[in-house]
């Protein structure tokens, strides 16, 4: 699968740099070409000679060769590669990548790269958990980069926790999976609607009723569908995530009513819809034009039910369309999900429960159970939302196959 693929391996200065020798060896063994770019500090952790010998190419560090002035073009390297891997990605390098601080060849190449970029973080426990590191990783994800989760275990400092760079075998296997999926293009010609994020229901000019949805799950689905060839219409409530895939048309909405209008008016042109948004079930009956002043000890805001978008699409759905819903539960998860599956006329429902740690709102991970309309149940382990999206889209592809679509 990696035969003939061209990789830039960007090595930054962390102890896990030693694993890059094995990573390069594995990639070359698969028939891939590897161009190594190292930061100056990375050379302290693994020698250029080792990396040049294993990759069978001179490694690049500087913008130009001081001996003869030969220019190492980051633009050419960025265009040459089928994928760039930044491993190990230190807190410093990820911070620069997230903020466009182009002070070394690795970063300028990253900024010029048009290919997919894989980032394998490594660092000590507290550095990894620091809000700035987590924010930078979120930013990198939002740019469409693929973060390869570090493993938990004993760290170089002796502390125990998350921060060990993924093993070379794991990185190679993720690269293979990526190219298998991308080359499958099994959704070419399909139009798919995805709803994502929260809705905000206006109370008055300064307040709204909302929820904790970040949009991460829905955006991961949109990216996965697009990378497999689908034309995606992403109807998104307020979310701080960027989309960059050319196959994704994004429509920003605020309220449940707007989301309902944009989804329902497009559904007839869709082959499928995945309803991942956390839509408000109720909205204020009256939206005040002026800020509501504090007066009494108690205040009541009368609410009315919103349109159940999934249920209304379920009513209009033809035999050739696939409708997928999500169920976010806190109790009686299976029973409630099954009720929603039937009531909304879904082909399958993706259950995530807030009782499972790392599942549901805002986290980068999720743990799902898929229940289809024939009551077949598939349980999945806790995974990154990117990987969860793969499982959901695989199930969708199976539905298309079953309806001959
Ligand atoms: O955005 P993240 O932070 O990544 O979090 C992801 C998520 C937890 C929001 C997502 O995985 C999820 O569970 N989305 C559905 C949330 C929800 O509203 O679930 P529900 O059980 O209340 O609704 C059932 C289904 O009906 C959902 O498909 C929902 O989109 C749909 N619905 C609900 C109400 C409504 N008025 N219209 C709808 O279409």
């Amino acid at each position: 699968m990696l035969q003939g693929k061209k990789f830039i391996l960007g090595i930054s200065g962390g102890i896990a740099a030693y694993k890059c020798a094995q990573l390069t060896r594995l990639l070359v063994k698969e028939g891939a070409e590897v161009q190594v770019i190292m930061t100056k500090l990375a050379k302290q952790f693994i020698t250029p000679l080792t990396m040049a010998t294993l990759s069978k190419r001179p490694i690049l560090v500087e913008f130009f060769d001081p001996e003869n002035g030969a220019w190492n073009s980051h633009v050419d390297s960025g265009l040459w590669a089928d994928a760039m891997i930044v491993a190990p990605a230190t807190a410093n390098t990820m911070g620069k990548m997230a903020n466009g601080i182009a002070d070394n060849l690795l970063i300028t190449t990253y900024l010029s790269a048009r290919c997919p970029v894989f980032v394998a973080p490594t660092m000590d426990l507290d550095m990894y958990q620091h809000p700035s590191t987590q924010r930078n990783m979120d930013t990198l994800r939002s740019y469409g980069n693929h973060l390869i989760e570090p493993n938990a275990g004993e760290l170089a400092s002796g502390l125990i926790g998350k921060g060990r760079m993924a093993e070379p075998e794991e990185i190679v296997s993720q690269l293979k999976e990526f190219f298998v999926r991308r080359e499958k293009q099994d959704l070419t010609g399909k139009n798919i609607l995805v709803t994502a994020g929260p809705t905000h229901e206006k109370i008055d000019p300064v307040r709204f009723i909302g929820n904790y949805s970040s949009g991460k799950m829905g955006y991961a689905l949109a990216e996965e569908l697009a990378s497999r060839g689908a034309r995606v219409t992403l109807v998104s409530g307020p979310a701080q995530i960027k989309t960059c895939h050319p196959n994704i048309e994004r429509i920003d909405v605020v309220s449940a009513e707007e989301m309902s209008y944009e989804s329902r008016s497009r559904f007839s042109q869709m082959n499928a819809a995945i309803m991942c948004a956390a839509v408000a079930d109720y909205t204020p009956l009256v939206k005040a034009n002026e800020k509501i002043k504090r007066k009494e000890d108690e205040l009541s805001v009368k609410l009315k039910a919103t349109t159940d978008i999934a249920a209304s699409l379920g009513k209009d759905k033809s035999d050739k369309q696939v409708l997928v819903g999500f169920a976010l539960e806190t109790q009686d998860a299976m029973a409630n999900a099954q009720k929603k599956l039937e009531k909304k006329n879904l082909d399958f429902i993706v259950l995530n429960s807030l009782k499972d740690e790392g599942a549901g709102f805002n986290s980068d991970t999720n743990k799902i159970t898929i229940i289809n309309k024939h009551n077949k149940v598939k349980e999945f382990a806790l995974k990154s939302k990117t990987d969860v999206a793969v499982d959901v889209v695989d199930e969708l592809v199976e539905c298309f196959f079953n309806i001959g679509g």
Side-chain angles (χ1 to χ4, degrees):
M1 183 31 71
L2 301 182
Q3 176 74 37
K5 293 274 181 295
K6 301 187 190 82
F7 292 101
I8 291 171
L9 174 57
I11 308 178
S12 65
I15 185 68
Y18 78 91
K19 293 185 182 176
C20 289
Q22 173 69 347
L23 177 58
T24 305
R25 222 177 66 80
L26 291 175
L27 290 171
V28 170
K29 217 166 134 194
E30 292 281 342
E33 287 181 59
V34 182
Q35 174 62 64
V36 175
I37 297 178
M38 297 173 85
T39 62
K40 282 185 189 150
L41 197 59
K43 293 195 312 182
Q44 309 286 328
F45 289 95
I46 187 157
T47 71
L49 180 61
T50 304
M51 295 314 303
T53 309
L54 291 170
S55 66
K56 305 183 180 26
R57 283 166 173 266
I59 63 128
L60 304 175
V61 180
E62 304 288 352
F63 290 109
F64 59 89
D65 184 335
E67 294 298 317
N68 58 19
W71 179 244
N72 291 326
S73 170
H74 54 89
V75 177
D76 289 350
S77 303
L79 295 179
W80 169 82
D82 293 304
M84 179 170 183
I85 312 156
V86 182
T90 58
N92 182 41
T93 287
M94 289 198 294
K96 289 180 185 177
M97 289 167 74
N99 294 291
I101 300 171
D103 66 352
N104 65 41
L105 190 63
L106 191 160
I107 304 292
T108 51
T109 306
Y110 162 70
L111 293 174
S112 308
R114 291 192 189 162
C115 58
V117 178
F118 294 80
V119 182
T122 181
M123 69 205 71
D124 228 322
L125 186 63
D126 298 301
M127 282 178 85
Y128 182 72
Q129 286 172 350
H130 196 279
S132 66
T133 309
Q134 292 296 322
R135 194 189 55 223
N136 286 334
M137 292 199 301
D138 283 345
T139 304
L140 292 178
R141 279 191 196 93
S142 74
Y143 295 159
N145 297 306
H146 303 266
L147 271 279
I148 301 178
E149 289 284 309
N151 293 325
E154 189 173 350
L155 302 164
S157 61
L159 291 174
I160 310 273
K162 205 165 173 181
R164 288 171 62 91
M165 189 178 100
E167 294 306 318
E169 291 76 7
E170 292 173 295
I171 296 177
V172 170
S173 127
Q174 290 206 23
L175 292 170
K176 280 186 183 169
E177 262 177 45
F178 173 83
F179 283 108
V180 167
R181 281 208 309 275
R182 205 166 76 159
E183 279 158 33
K184 255 203 294 191
Q185 292 290 292
D186 48 2
L187 290 170
T188 302
K190 296 276 190 273
N191 293 316
I192 301 178
L193 179 93
V194 177
T195 65
T199 61
H200 288 178
E201 307 303 318
K202 180 179 168 183
I203 298 172
D204 69 10
V206 299
R207 303 177 181 95
F208 60 83
I209 299 171
N211 60 65
Y212 297 111
S213 171
S214 61
K216 286 177 187 172
M217 190 65 250
Y219 279 63
L221 284 163
E223 288 287 337
E224 177 61 20
L225 292 162
S227 73
R228 286 163 73 162
R231 277 189 302 276
V232 181
T233 304
L234 174 63
V235 180
S236 172
Q240 306 300 317
I241 307 181
K242 293 191 183 69
T243 34
C244 49
H245 201 292
N247 288 7
I248 301 176
E249 183 198 0
R250 173 169 163 179
I251 293 154
D252 288 313
V253 298
V254 177
S255 65
E257 193 184 341
E258 288 168 14
M259 185 172 278
S260 173
Y261 173 77
E262 299 296 348
S263 305
R264 292 168 68 192
S265 60
R266 288 173 168 79
F267 185 56
S268 63
Q269 291 117 55
M270 299 292 151
N271 300 100
I274 305 183
M275 315 306 287
C276 184
V279 189
D281 285 315
Y282 290 91
T283 190
L285 188 61
V286 178
K287 294 158 189 6
N289 286 329
E290 304 299 336
K291 183 179 171 191
I292 298 170
K293 297 278 181 247
R294 185 187 170 105
K295 282 187 203 139
E296 316 290 329
D297 281 351
E298 288 181 11
L299 171 75
S300 301
V301 177
K302 214 163 182 186
L303 305 175
K304 62 172 179 176
T306 56
T307 304
D308 186 329
I309 310 168
S312 85
L313 301 189
K315 282 204 185 90
D316 296 346
K317 182 168 82 88
S318 77
D319 293 347
K320 290 283 169 211
Q321 287 178 304
V322 179
L323 183 59
V324 180
F326 270 69
L328 179 65
E329 303 298 340
T330 55
Q331 58 183 0
D332 302 329
M334 273 302 254
N336 284 329
Q338 270 156 337
K339 269 188 218 150
K340 286 176 187 171
L341 174 77
E342 263 174 54
K343 189 174 155 223
K344 297 174 198 252
N345 190 24
L346 306 171
D347 290 273
F348 68 90
I349 194 157
V350 182
L351 162 65
N352 41 191
S353 165
L354 291 186
K355 289 264 152 62
D356 289 321
E357 203 173 322
F361 287 132
N362 204 14
S363 61
D364 291 323
T365 52
N366 205 357
K367 184 173 183 322
I368 61 159
T369 301
I370 292 180
I371 309 149
N372 78 8
K373 61 181 176 187
H374 309 296
N375 250 324
K376 199 167 152 203
V377 177
K378 291 185 193 168
E379 282 187 44
F380 297 83
L382 184 77
K383 296 180 181 185
S384 70
K385 282 186 175 164
T386 313
D387 290 340
V388 170
V390 176
D391 294 331
V392 174
V393 173
D394 283 346
E395 186 71 21
L396 176 70
V397 169
E398 212 172 302
C399 285
F400 280 134
F401 180 78
N402 290 337
I403 60 173

Coordinates of all heavy atoms in Angstrom, one line a residue, residues 7-11 20 24 34-38 48 51-52 54-55 57-61 80 105:
F7 N 7.3 10.3 1.3 CA 7.1 10.9 2.6 C 8.2 11.9 3.0 O 9.3 11.6 2.8 CB 7.1 9.8 3.7 CG 5.9 8.8 3.6 CD1 6.0 7.6 3.0 CD2 4.6 9.2 4.0 CE1 5.0 6.7 2.9 CE2 3.5 8.4 3.9 CZ 3.7 7.1 3.3
I8 N 7.7 13.0 3.6 CA 8.7 13.8 4.3 C 8.6 13.4 5.8 O 7.4 13.4 6.4 CB 8.3 15.3 4.2 CG1 8.6 15.7 2.8 CG2 9.2 16.1 5.1 CD1 8.1 17.1 2.5
L9 N 9.7 13.1 6.4 CA 9.7 12.8 7.8 C 10.4 13.9 8.5 O 11.6 14.2 8.4 CB 10.4 11.5 8.1 CG 10.6 11.1 9.6 CD1 9.3 11.0 10.3 CD2 11.4 9.7 9.7
G10 N 9.6 14.7 9.2 CA 10.1 15.9 10.0 C 10.4 15.5 11.4 O 9.4 15.1 12.1
I11 N 11.6 15.5 11.8 CA 12.0 15.1 13.1 C 12.4 16.3 14.0 O 13.2 17.1 13.6 CB 13.3 14.1 13.1 CG1 13.0 13.0 12.1 CG2 13.6 13.6 14.4 CD1 14.2 12.1 11.9
C20 N 12.7 7.1 15.1 CA 12.6 7.5 13.7 C 13.5 6.6 12.8 O 13.3 6.5 11.6 CB 12.9 8.9 13.4 SG 11.7 10.0 14.1
T24 N 11.7 4.9 9.7 CA 12.3 5.1 8.3 C 12.5 3.7 7.7 O 12.2 3.5 6.5 CB 13.6 5.9 8.3 OG1 13.3 7.1 9.0 CG2 14.2 6.2 7.0
V34 N 11.7 8.2 1.5 CA 11.6 9.1 2.7 C 12.6 10.2 2.6 O 13.8 9.9 2.4 CB 11.9 8.2 3.9 CG1 11.7 9.1 5.2 CG2 10.9 7.1 4.0
Q35 N 12.1 11.4 2.7 CA 13.1 12.6 2.8 C 13.0 13.1 4.2 O 12.0 13.5 4.7 CB 12.6 13.7 1.8 CG 13.5 15.0 2.0 CD 14.9 14.8 1.7 OE1 15.3 14.4 0.6 NE2 15.8 14.9 2.7
V36 N 14.1 13.0 4.9 CA 14.2 13.4 6.3 C 14.5 14.9 6.4 O 15.5 15.3 5.8 CB 15.2 12.5 7.1 CG1 15.3 13.1 8.5 CG2 14.8 11.1 7.1
I37 N 13.8 15.6 7.2 CA 14.1 17.0 7.6 C 14.2 17.0 9.1 O 13.3 16.5 9.8 CB 13.0 18.0 7.1 CG1 12.9 17.9 5.6 CG2 13.3 19.4 7.6 CD1 11.8 18.9 5.0
M38 N 15.3 17.5 9.6 CA 15.5 17.6 11.0 C 15.6 19.0 11.5 O 16.2 19.8 10.8 CB 16.8 16.8 11.4 CG 16.8 15.3 11.0 SD 18.4 14.5 11.3 CE 18.3 14.1 13.0
P48 N 22.4 12.6 11.9 CA 22.1 12.7 10.5 C 22.6 11.6 9.7 O 22.0 11.1 8.8 CB 22.8 14.0 10.1 CG 22.9 14.8 11.3 CD 23.1 13.8 12.4
M51 N 20.2 8.7 9.9 CA 19.0 8.9 9.2 C 19.2 8.9 7.6 O 18.4 8.5 6.9 CB 18.3 10.2 9.6 CG 17.8 10.2 11.0 SD 16.9 8.8 11.5 CE 15.6 8.8 10.3
A52 N 20.4 9.5 7.2 CA 20.7 9.5 5.8 C 20.9 8.1 5.3 O 20.5 7.7 4.2 CB 21.9 10.4 5.6
L54 N 19.7 5.3 6.5 CA 18.5 4.5 6.5 C 17.5 5.0 5.4 O 16.8 4.2 4.8 CB 17.8 4.5 7.8 CG 18.5 3.7 8.9 CD1 17.8 4.0 10.3 CD2 18.5 2.2 8.6
S55 N 17.5 6.3 5.2 CA 16.5 6.8 4.2 C 17.1 6.8 2.8 O 16.4 7.1 1.8 CB 16.1 8.3 4.6 OG 17.2 9.1 4.5
R57 N 19.0 9.0 1.5 CA 19.0 10.4 1.0 C 19.7 11.3 2.0 O 19.5 11.1 3.2 CB 17.6 10.9 0.8 CG 16.8 10.5 -0.3 CD 15.4 10.8 -0.1 NE 14.6 10.5 -1.3 CZ 14.3 11.4 -2.2 NH1 14.7 12.6 -2.2 NH2 13.6 11.0 -3.3
P58 N 20.4 12.3 1.5 CA 20.9 13.3 2.5 C 19.8 13.9 3.2 O 18.7 14.2 2.6 CB 21.6 14.3 1.6 CG 21.7 13.8 0.2 CD 20.7 12.7 0.1
I59 N 20.0 14.1 4.5 CA 18.9 14.7 5.3 C 19.0 16.3 5.1 O 20.1 16.8 4.7 CB 19.0 14.4 6.8 CG1 20.3 14.9 7.4 CG2 18.9 12.9 7.0 CD1 20.1 15.7 8.6
L60 N 17.9 17.0 5.4 CA 17.9 18.4 5.3 C 17.7 19.1 6.6 O 16.9 18.6 7.4 CB 16.8 18.9 4.3 CG 16.8 18.3 2.9 CD1 15.5 18.7 2.2 CD2 18.0 18.7 2.2
V61 N 18.5 20.1 6.9 CA 18.3 20.8 8.2 C 18.2 22.3 8.0 O 17.3 23.0 8.5 CB 19.5 20.6 9.1 CG1 19.4 21.3 10.4 CG2 19.7 19.1 9.4
W80 N 6.4 17.8 -3.3 CA 6.9 16.4 -3.7 C 6.2 15.3 -3.0 O 5.8 14.3 -3.6 CB 8.4 16.4 -3.5 CG 9.0 15.0 -3.6 CD1 9.5 14.4 -4.7 CD2 9.4 14.2 -2.4 NE1 10.1 13.2 -4.4 CE2 10.0 13.0 -3.0 CE3 9.2 14.2 -1.1 CZ2 10.5 12.0 -2.2 CZ3 9.7 13.2 -0.3 CH2 10.3 12.1 -0.9
L105 N 13.5 24.8 8.8 CA 13.1 24.2 7.5 C 11.9 23.2 7.7 O 11.0 23.1 6.8 CB 14.3 23.4 6.9 CG 14.1 22.9 5.5 CD1 13.9 24.0 4.5 CD2 15.3 22.0 5.1

